[in-house]
């Protein structure tokens, strides 16, 4: 069984590497980028306004896809050394070792490209717009989207304390491999939770040069995408770690143990419905221009963004 699991994990990683390479070639073609830009415009219910804006959005989509897929490939390669560890013979190897190595670099790539890119470059003599207030994460994620990561962080911290207490009080009760995997996953995830407010602030404080409210809304669309990727990464890793905690504490050869084995998978899947949903999510209403029936007062002309 151990050899079969190891072979499956190796085969999955090899197939996934090929899939990422194919996606990198196909999704960075100009036609594909324009199709994704058009789909984004429809999904967000946000018009381009001009053909130049469509070109800018498609180019930004191409760069974002290139960075994200490249980061995922690098992360997958970084996970290869784990195949030489006993963890590679565990059925949860892909979730506990491979997925974090992909999710974290991808989220980091989204942050980096958002910090270094400027979507629009208004001419010096063109009036610009600026926000009336300092923006916060929940202005982009909504109340639920901003709170869910912290709720899961609290649950994870409680689970970490509980399992450490049980391991200390009854050293032989819990499987050492499951406990070690849980502690490693929990530590990594809590570090991400601690770093996320700082990363969010870096993204939120980035200048947004824009000549009108429509350009500002498009910039907000990519900013929202970056903040969502960070929150999603934190929630997915939290869900996986909490699931690993359930595996560690569940009695072996029981129905609860069989159920617990499924929890890390669902922990990685369910958060996507909070931030992505079936067909993606539109922007928060206050981020739309006034003439698209968003609440008034989101921006004011004349200040440098």
């Amino acid at each position: 069984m151990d050899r079969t699991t190891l072979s499956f994990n190796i085969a999955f990683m090899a197939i996934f590497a090929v899939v990422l390479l194919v996606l990198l070639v196909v999704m960075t073609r100009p036609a594909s980028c324009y199709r994704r830009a058009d789909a984004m415009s429809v999904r967000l219910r946000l018009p381009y306004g001009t053909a130049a804006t469509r070109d800018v959005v498609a180019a930004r989509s191409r760069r974002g896809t290139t960075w994200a897929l490249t980061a995922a490939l690098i992360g997958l390669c970084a996970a290869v050394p784990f195949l030489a560890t006993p963890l590679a013979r565990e059925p949860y190897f892909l979730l506990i070792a491979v997925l974090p190595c992909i999710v974290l670099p991808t989220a980091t790539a989204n942050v980096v490209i958002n910090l270094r890119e400027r979507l629009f470059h208004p001419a010096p003599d063109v009036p610009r717009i600026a926000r009336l207030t300092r923006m916060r994460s929940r202005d982009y994620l909504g109340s639920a989207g901003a709170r869910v990561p912290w709720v899961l962080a609290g649950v994870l911290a409680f689970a970490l304390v509980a399992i450490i207490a049980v391991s200390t009080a009854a050293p032989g009760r819990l499987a050492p491999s499951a406990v070690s995997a849980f502690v490693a996953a929990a530590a990594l995830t809590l570090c991400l939770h601690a770093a996320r407010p700082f990363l969010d602030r870096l993204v939120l404080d980035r200048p947004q040069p824009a000549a009108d409210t429509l350009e500002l809304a498009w910039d907000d669309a990519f900013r929202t995408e970056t903040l969502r990727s960070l929150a999603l990464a934190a929630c997915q890793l939290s869900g996986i770690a909490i699931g690993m905690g359930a595996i560690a504490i569940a009695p072996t050869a029981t129905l609860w143990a069989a159920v617990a084995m499924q929890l890390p998978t669902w922990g990685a899947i369910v958060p996507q419905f909070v931030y992505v949903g079936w067909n993606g999510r539109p922007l928060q209403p206050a981020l739309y221009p006034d003439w698209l029936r968003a609440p008034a007062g989101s921006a004011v002309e004349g200040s440098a963004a």
Side-chain angles (χ1 to χ4, degrees):
M1 181 64 181
D2 287 350
R3 186 179 295 274
T4 301
T5 303
L6 176 61
S7 300
F8 172 81
N9 290 333
I10 293 173
F12 182 90
M13 291 178 68
I15 293 171
F16 193 56
V18 173
V19 170
L20 288 175
L21 285 171
V22 171
L23 289 176
L24 186 58
V25 172
V26 173
M27 294 184 69
T28 54
R29 291 177 177 174
S32 176
C33 295
Y34 277 101
R35 282 195 299 270
R36 288 200 310 281
D38 293 342
M40 184 179 183
S41 175
V42 172
R43 172 171 56 84
L44 297 179
R45 299 192 293 273
L46 193 62
Y48 291 123
T50 65
T53 298
R54 182 173 183 252
D55 293 338
V56 168
V57 172
R60 173 61 174 80
S61 176
R62 181 179 185 275
R63 292 191 297 272
T65 300
T66 301
W67 280 59
L69 290 176
T70 302
L73 271 170
I74 293 172
L76 185 64
C77 293
V80 170
F82 289 110
L83 290 170
T85 68
L87 186 62
R89 291 172 170 78
E90 298 291 345
Y92 45 75
F93 169 77
L94 295 174
L95 289 170
I96 200 67
V98 178
L99 187 61
C101 286
I102 293 174
V103 168
L104 289 176
T106 302
T108 301
N110 283 331
V111 172
V112 171
I113 193 171
N114 189 274
L115 292 177
R116 71 183 296 271
E117 293 277 349
R118 297 292 182 271
L119 196 61
F120 298 102
H121 302 274
D125 57 338
V126 174
R128 298 187 183 187
I129 59 173
R131 296 288 177 192
L132 290 172
T133 59
R134 195 182 192 199
M135 303 297 283
R136 299 167 296 175
S137 296
R138 68 178 177 181
D139 295 322
Y140 294 89
L141 302 178
S143 297
R147 290 173 183 166
V148 168
W150 296 115
V151 172
L152 291 178
V155 174
L156 178 57
F158 176 79
L160 181 61
V161 171
I163 288 183
I164 291 176
V166 172
S167 300
T168 303
R173 185 182 181 282
L174 305 180
S177 60
V179 172
S180 299
F182 166 72
V183 171
L188 176 65
T189 304
L190 291 175
C191 287
L192 176 58
H193 279 294
R196 197 171 66 85
F198 171 73
L199 296 174
D200 283 355
R201 195 69 259 164
L202 284 178
V203 173
L204 292 169
D205 288 343
R206 179 188 66 83
Q208 291 182 284
D212 55 48
T213 53
L214 185 57
E215 289 187 356
L216 187 61
W218 272 110
D219 196 287
D220 281 333
F222 287 102
R223 175 177 284 189
T224 300
E225 189 177 81
T226 300
L227 295 174
R228 280 177 180 167
S229 70
L230 279 172
L232 178 59
C235 289
Q236 286 183 314
L237 296 187
S238 295
I240 292 170
I242 292 169
M244 287 303 305
I247 292 173
I249 207 168
T252 57
T254 63
L255 177 60
W256 170 238
V259 172
M261 288 296 295
Q262 308 303 316
L263 292 181
T265 302
W266 287 106
I269 293 173
V270 172
Q272 296 187 57
F273 295 104
V274 177
Y275 297 102
V276 181
W278 290 107
N279 296 307
R281 302 261 188 238
L283 297 177
Q284 293 297 308
L287 300 179
Y288 285 94
D290 296 342
W291 53 274
L292 286 177
R293 298 185 181 180
S298 61
V300 62
E301 294 188 3
S303 300

